[in-house]
Amino acid sequence: MTNSVKMLDGRSIPKLGLGVWQATNEQVIEAITTAFEAGYRLIDTASVYENETGVGEALKMSTLPREEMFITSKLWNPDQSNVEQALEDSLTRLQLDYLDCYLIHWPAPSLGQYTNAWKGLIKAQQSGLIKSIGVSNFLPEHIDTLIQQTGVTPVINQIEKHPLFSQQSLSEWCTQRGILVQAWSPLAQGGKGIFEQPEVTTIAAKYAKSPAQVILRWHLQHNTLVIPKSVTQSRIVENIQVFDFTLTPEEMTLIDGLDKHQRLGPDPLEFV
Ligand code: NAD
C-alpha cells in the first residue's frame, strides 16, 4: 500500500498526516519538526486552532521543498461570507503562497452561507491560492447542494470517524462519488476505551503493534485518510509506522463491530 492516493482533481494526497488541534504555537513547532523527520508530509490545521503562526514557523524552519509538503487549513464558520480575507489571513500566518487544501470547516446550515463560501473557494482555486478544495462535516444534502449550484465536487469530506463512530453510510456515500473520506479524531481523541478493547489488544499483540497503530491501520484498509494528533515525539513516530502490516478481513470485522454510533464532537446540523 503506497502512502498517497489520487483525489478527484488528479492531485495526490498523503493517506496519513499530523493533526494539530489543541496544540499551541510552541508545541506545533516541535511536533511538525518531528513529524517531517518521521516521514509525514501532510499537516492539518485550521484558523480556529489559533496555531497557524506556529505551523508557519515550523514550515519555514524545515528544509523540505515546499512541493513535498501538503498543508491543509480550514475556513471558520463566521468567515463563510468572507472567504477572500480569511484565506489571505491564513496564508499570511502560515507564511505560504498557497494551500494544498482548504476545507469549509462546518456546513453551519443555519448561516445559509456554505454555497457562497464554496464559490469563494472555487475562485481562490482558479487564482492559484489553493490547489485542492474540500469540505468538512458535510452531510450528503449539503454536498448535493454544492454540486447542484456550482458543478464542482469537493475532493475531500473530513468527518468524525473512529471505531466507536464509523459513519459507514456517509463514508460509502462519499466513496461512491469519488470524494475521499478523511477521519478526524481517528483515535477517538485518545481511545475512549477502544485501546483497551480485547479485540484491539489481541490484534495489537499479534502484530507487535500498539492499539493506536491497529486502529490507524483499520482506517487505512477502509480507504479512509487519517490525521492523528499528537505532540509527543514517540507517538508521532509510532502513528506513521502503520504501512508494514495488514489486518485480515476477520480482524477488520472485529473492529467494525466496536461501532456504537457514538459521536464525540458536535452534530453538523446544529453546530454554528
Ligand atoms: P485523535 O483521535 O487524533 O486523538 C488525539 C489524542 O490521542 C492525542 O491528544 C493523544 O492523547 C492520543 N494519542 C495520539 N497518538 C497516540 C498513541 N500512539 N498512543 C496513545 N495515545 C495517542 O483526535 P483529534 O486531535 O480530535 O483529531 C485529529 C485531528 O483531526 C485534529 O488534530 C485536527 O487536525 C482534526 N480535527 C478536525 C475537526 C473538524 O471539524 N474538521 C475536528 C476535530 C479534529
Side-chain angles (χ1 to χ4, degrees):
M1 192 181 267
T2 59
N3 199 9
S4 65
V5 64
K6 274 258 162 73
M7 299 180 280
L8 265 182
D9 61 9
R11 292 174 46 82
S12 288
I13 180 168
K15 291 178 178 174
L16 185 145
L18 181 74
V20 297
W21 180 40
Q22 293 177 319
T24 64
N25 280 302
E26 292 71 35
Q27 286 174 324
V28 294
I29 295 175
E30 194 183 316
I32 292 172
T33 305
T34 302
F36 280 156
E37 275 169 20
Y40 289 72
R41 294 295 176 265
L42 187 156
I43 308 298
D44 181 89
T45 186
S47 64
V48 76
Y49 301 169
E50 296 185 343
N51 58 21
E52 287 177 314
T53 307
V55 173
E57 284 301 310
L59 303 183
K60 204 174 167 198
M61 282 164 55
S62 167
T63 53
L64 279 178
R66 171 68 184 92
E67 59 274 17
E68 278 194 27
M69 303 171 178
F70 191 106
I71 311 302
T72 298
S73 191
K74 311 185 194 85
L75 177 74
W76 190 230
N77 305 344
D79 294 328
Q80 286 191 2
S81 50
N82 200 5
V83 174
E84 207 175 328
Q85 186 64 51
L87 175 62
E88 188 185 320
D89 291 347
S90 280
L91 287 170
T92 302
R93 287 189 290 265
L94 289 162
Q95 304 185 55
L96 294 177
D97 300 328
Y98 68 90
L99 284 175
D100 296 277
C101 190
Y102 198 42
L103 307 176
I104 302 179
H105 208 145
W106 291 85
S110 63
L111 297 179
Q113 283 296 329
Y114 66 81
T115 305
N116 277 337
W118 187 238
K119 289 177 183 164
L121 263 65
I122 294 169
K123 201 170 151 211
Q125 184 183 36
Q126 285 162 352
S127 57
L129 295 175
I130 319 168
K131 300 287 184 195
S132 296
I133 55 176
V135 294
S136 179
N137 302 301
F138 272 47
L139 301 179
E141 67 210 67
H142 309 129
I143 296 179
D144 272 340
T145 304
L146 297 186
I147 298 172
Q148 279 158 16
Q149 298 288 319
T150 66
V152 181
T153 304
V155 293
I156 285 177
N157 191 13
Q158 185 184 110
I159 57 173
E160 178 179 347
K161 188 169 163 76
H162 44 76
L164 298 175
F165 189 58
S166 66
Q167 297 244 54
Q168 207 183 331
S169 70
L170 178 56
S171 302
E172 281 170 11
W173 189 94
C174 290
T175 304
Q176 281 160 8
R177 284 152 187 81
I179 301 167
L180 294 175
V181 174
Q182 191 177 47
W184 62 257
S185 297
L187 299 173
Q189 297 175 4
K192 297 282 183 283
I194 51 172
F195 292 165
E196 290 80 35
Q197 291 286 330
E199 292 87 345
V200 175
T201 53
T202 306
I203 298 168
K206 173 181 162 189
Y207 294 104
K209 291 285 181 181
S210 69
Q213 288 171 318
V214 169
I215 301 301
L216 293 171
R217 184 70 208 175
W218 169 82
H219 282 291
L220 294 170
Q221 287 185 217
H222 274 309
N223 296 320
T224 303
L225 314 181
V226 283
I227 44 169
K229 180 248 174 175
S230 182
V231 292
T232 307
Q233 288 202 6
S234 58
R235 287 176 171 174
I236 293 171
V237 173
E238 177 186 321
N239 290 346
I240 199 175
Q241 290 170 354
V242 290
F243 293 96
D244 56 355
F245 71 114
T246 305
L247 303 178
T248 65
E250 293 75 22
E251 289 162 349
M252 291 292 289
T253 305
L254 278 176
I255 302 174
D256 290 343
L258 299 177
D259 192 9
K260 294 197 166 36
H261 309 288
Q262 185 183 328
R263 247 183 224 289
L264 302 177
D267 184 328
L269 285 176
E270 289 161 14
F271 191 64
V272 184

